[in-house]
Amino acid sequence: MQWQLRRLHYLLKRVGGSMAQRGLRGTFSRVAEELRPRATDSNWTLEPLDVPFIPISLPYSESPRVSIVIPVHGKLRYTLACLRSIARYGADASFEVIVVDDVSPDESATTLAQTVGLRLLRNTENLGFIGSCNAGAAIARGAFVLFLNNDTQVTPGWLDRLLDCFTEEDGCGIAGSRLVYPDGRLQEAGGIVYADGKAWNYGRFEKRNDPRFLYRRDVDYVSGAALMIDIALFRKIGGFDTRYAPAYCEDVDLAFAVRAAGRRVVYQPASLVVHCEGISSGLDPFEGVKQYQIINQAKLAEKWQGALLNQPKPRTPVEQAIHHGGARHILIVDALTPDPSRDSGSLRLINIMRLLREQGWRISFMADNRRATEDEIELLGSKGIHVLCKPWAPTLSTWLAREGAGLDAVMLCRHYIAQPHLLLVRRLAPTAKILFDTVDLHFLREQRAAAHSGNAALTRQAEASRRREIALVRACDASFVVSPVELRLLADEVPEARVELLSNVHEVFGRTKGFAERSGLVFVGGFGHPPNVDAVRWLVEQILPCIREQRPDIVLHLIGDMPDDARQRFIGIGTEVHGRVDDLKPWMENCRVALAPLRYGAGVKGKVNMAMSYGLPVVATPIAAEGMNLIDGQNVLLGADAPTIATAVLRLYDDEALWLRLSEAGLDNVRQYFSFDAARAVLQRVLH
């Protein structure tokens, strides 16, 4: 009881610095959470602690990419559970496990020696946590070292997702996991360091699936309980600083040293690690190793007093403190949360957000319906994007009332989203640059649909859309279009407005299979987009029969959302209906010809870009190729009617030389006009 009273006193002192923003009730609630007994979350499948010992076999590599270093001082059953979790989930990357036994008072050393694949290093004297970590790193053979507490258990993908940070985040020096308690509460989503050297675990006791904690971002530090670092960098800066021996503040110090070396510290929420906090060092801050937590804070403040001048002042609200780096903040609002398996507009927006983050922007995204699936949150989180959605975030007006004054830019996508929100954004984000992303000019598409169908009502709708879109282009600071055709149209309609060409953005995947290894045709397009519905009907009912009349062996693959009645209608001889797929790659690599038989529409067609980015030649209508710098016979084959398209498909299907020429020219077209470099230059120009 005595130590608990001391701990209560310590906790009140620890959380008191945030009492101003949390209030008295919130402060005592925080203390209660610290002291609350914990049970294991029913969602976890954790390795049991109290089981008879059976020797463990771990994955092992003579040339590992990652060396996992686990320092131990007793607590054998936790160490064994940790190792069993590593053995259970493994990793795609090669790794080795090094356990450093720091003169354990129990049978840890003799028991762990029976583990197959384990490198066991036994200290001859007690070195403490820091000394043991440094000793393990000294014998590590991997390009990266991953320090892991023995009172943790890992989950699927934990190691590989940390590695992702070093390949996907330019300049990453340290990557750290999202830590959770066994009862499922969040323990830490990266840490904050205040100007007085005191640290704060961001998200402690919050819901672990709150999107605030599910996006990659730079942080002041990550916990040494699950920390990966480039081994060459670790050795260059001298490892963990022994002035903090035996433990505590060494992870914060390492983060400051890494930044001083010009590298970044990145929090990776996709790497989830369960941490039984307090098992290794206890919970009493006044006894044992734990007492060094307070002692070492003073050492940290003295060593990094210059760098701490740039940290947030004590009592800065937590949500403000995590963004103290000063990155410019942009809010993006679209109709739906982007899903690249749904439509090409989603892929374009995700790639635009990738470029914005690369340029140093902090990005918040909200769908107009405020909905987002777990998969969508995870995908955007992996790009460093904070998703504002139900039930975690308030309405747009409430969020803007709180955050709008600090916004540097707002991008509103599509006229029917931009129009109702523009005045609100102007009022609540008065200093933000307002961008209107047309996605494509809706009125142009509707005009063409009306002309194609002869529908008078659609003609009136197109005119109403034209008035709205033109008004928005005039009212916003800058507008984006995807096609040179649309750029010229708006130059005539609104010459005084700033309009920029920001087209589709694609990676160039390249051709992986040759002509002879491929067969079949592919059309990509969901039924949520009317031009696709018309195109599929025309393709199946008129174009495909002309093709199969001469080549009944040719199969057409239809990919994209499709209602059940349409699916049943189009399933038949010569067609395979796949619906929406998570990855287009198998069809892009194995089909011989991609089709884009659109009879009306506007903008640039992502289905054409996507096929060409894989070196898959395309047969299209002139409207599908519009604004894409495509020339019939050079980088695409064009046809305006069913017989002409069918003839082009049959010609391309059997002419390997033509196929290869179009394949290479299509790749060049994507590189020149639809690359990340082209889009990057536009964004830099508009948002300089």
Side-chain angles (χ1 to χ4, degrees), residues 170-175 190-194 197-199 217-223 227 229 233-234 236-237 249-267 300 303-304 306-312 321-322 324-325:
D170 187 42
C172 179
I174 287 178
I192 303 166
V193 179
Y194 289 92
K198 292 180 181 178
R217 64 183 189 281
D218 285 45
V219 293
D220 290 340
Y221 75 97
V222 294
S223 170
L227 180 157
I229 184 171
L233 176 63
F234 183 74
K236 179 181 178 181
I237 61 181
C249 294
E250 75 286 336
D251 45 10
V252 180
D253 176 87
L254 187 69
F256 274 81
V258 163
R259 275 191 297 276
R263 303 283 286 275
R264 296 167 56 201
V265 179
V266 178
Y267 161 67
L300 180 83
K303 178 180 177 181
W304 295 105
L308 288 171
L309 295 175
N310 298 317
Q311 296 301 115
I322 61 169
H324 69 83

Side-chain angles (χ1 to χ4, degrees), residues 452 523-525 527 529-544 556 558 570 595-600 607 621 624 645:
H452 175 71
F523 173 85
V524 179
F527 266 45
H529 190 51
N532 287 334
V533 180
D534 176 74
V536 170
R537 288 174 178 163
W538 189 40
L539 175 56
V540 173
E541 294 171 2
Q542 297 185 44
I543 300 171
L544 186 62
L556 169 65
L558 299 175
F570 294 126
L595 301 177
L598 301 177
R599 292 193 284 188
Y600 66 93
K607 57 176 62 64
T621 56
I645 292 173

Side-chain angles (χ1 to χ4, degrees), residues 296-318:
N296 286 348
Q297 280 182 354
K299 295 180 180 179
L300 180 83
E302 180 182 3
K303 178 180 177 181
W304 295 105
Q305 55 183 322
L308 288 171
L309 295 175
N310 298 317
Q311 296 301 115
K313 295 179 180 179
R315 297 180 179 269
T316 301
V318 171

Side-chain angles (χ1 to χ4, degrees), residues 82-368:
C82 176
L83 294 177
R84 287 197 302 269
S85 74
I86 294 172
R88 178 180 183 181
Y89 294 116
D92 292 335
S94 60
F95 66 89
E96 64 176 352
V97 180
I98 302 169
V99 169
V100 183
D101 181 69
D102 196 26
V103 195
S104 291
D106 58 12
E107 65 277 16
S108 288
T110 55
T111 303
L112 293 171
Q114 302 175 56
T115 302
V116 178
L118 175 69
R119 296 182 67 192
L120 179 62
L121 177 64
R122 302 180 67 175
N123 295 341
T124 56
E125 60 179 321
N126 188 274
L127 300 179
F129 179 84
I130 291 174
S132 295
C133 285
N134 286 342
I139 66 168
R141 295 178 296 195
F144 299 90
V145 61
L146 201 172
F147 297 104
L148 186 68
N149 278 17
N150 69 326
D151 56 351
T152 61
Q153 292 196 32
V154 305
T155 65
W158 74 290
L159 183 149
D160 296 303
R161 300 293 76 79
L162 289 175
L163 272 177
D164 288 345
C165 293
F166 294 90
T167 57
E168 298 172 1
E169 299 289 337
D170 187 42
C172 179
I174 287 178
S177 301
R178 176 167 46 123
L179 301 180
V180 296
Y181 290 106
D183 65 3
R185 295 174 301 165
L186 183 65
Q187 185 180 119
E188 180 180 314
I192 303 166
V193 179
Y194 289 92
D196 58 2
K198 292 180 181 178
W200 187 264
N201 306 121
Y202 181 55
R204 194 177 185 89
F205 303 132
E206 301 278 3
K207 301 290 187 182
R208 67 177 182 273
N209 55 343
D210 186 327
R212 286 183 297 156
F213 313 120
L214 296 180
Y215 66 99
R216 278 190 213 167
R217 64 183 189 281
D218 285 45
V219 293
D220 290 340
Y221 75 97
V222 294
S223 170
L227 180 157
M228 181 183 285
I229 184 171
D230 180 326
I231 188 66
L233 176 63
F234 183 74
R235 290 168 178 164
K236 179 181 178 181
I237 61 181
F240 285 121
D241 191 335
T242 55
R243 79 179 67 193
Y244 302 103
Y248 286 105
C249 294
E250 75 286 336
D251 45 10
V252 180
D253 176 87
L254 187 69
F256 274 81
V258 163
R259 275 191 297 276
R263 303 283 286 275
R264 296 167 56 201
V265 179
V266 178
Y267 161 67
Q268 170 57 298
S271 173
L272 183 69
V273 172
V274 182
H275 182 211
C276 304
E277 185 186 43
I279 298 302
S280 300
S281 303
L283 294 172
D284 188 345
F286 302 100
E287 291 185 358
V289 175
K290 192 73 173 178
Q291 66 182 306
Y292 288 93
Q293 190 170 28
I294 299 172
I295 296 170
N296 286 348
Q297 280 182 354
K299 295 180 180 179
L300 180 83
E302 180 182 3
K303 178 180 177 181
W304 295 105
Q305 55 183 322
L308 288 171
L309 295 175
N310 298 317
Q311 296 301 115
K313 295 179 180 179
R315 297 180 179 269
T316 301
V318 171
E319 294 297 331
Q320 180 181 337
I322 61 169
H323 301 303
H324 69 83
R328 294 178 295 172
H329 189 189
I330 184 170
L331 169 68
I332 298 176
V333 184
D334 200 353
L336 303 172
T337 301
D339 176 356
S341 70
R342 183 182 62 235
D343 56 67
S344 63
S346 290
L347 178 62
R348 172 178 172 270
L349 181 57
I350 287 173
N351 285 339
I352 287 172
M353 290 192 285
R354 285 176 57 184
L355 286 169
L356 286 170
R357 184 161 180 264
E358 174 194 295
Q359 293 175 11
W361 284 85
R362 174 162 68 97
I363 305 168
S364 298
F365 174 86
M366 181 183 286
D368 190 55

Side-chain angles (χ1 to χ4, degrees), residues 427-466:
R427 179 166 56 86
L428 297 179
T431 62
K433 179 174 285 190
I434 310 299
L435 311 175
F436 172 38
D437 183 19
T438 64
V439 181
D440 62 33
L441 285 178
H442 288 56
F443 80 82
L444 181 60
R445 172 160 44 86
E446 291 167 352
Q447 285 175 348
R448 290 170 171 175
H452 175 71
S453 63
N455 187 319
L458 194 53
T459 299
R460 291 191 295 273
Q461 178 181 320
E463 178 55 25
S465 295
R466 189 192 73 81

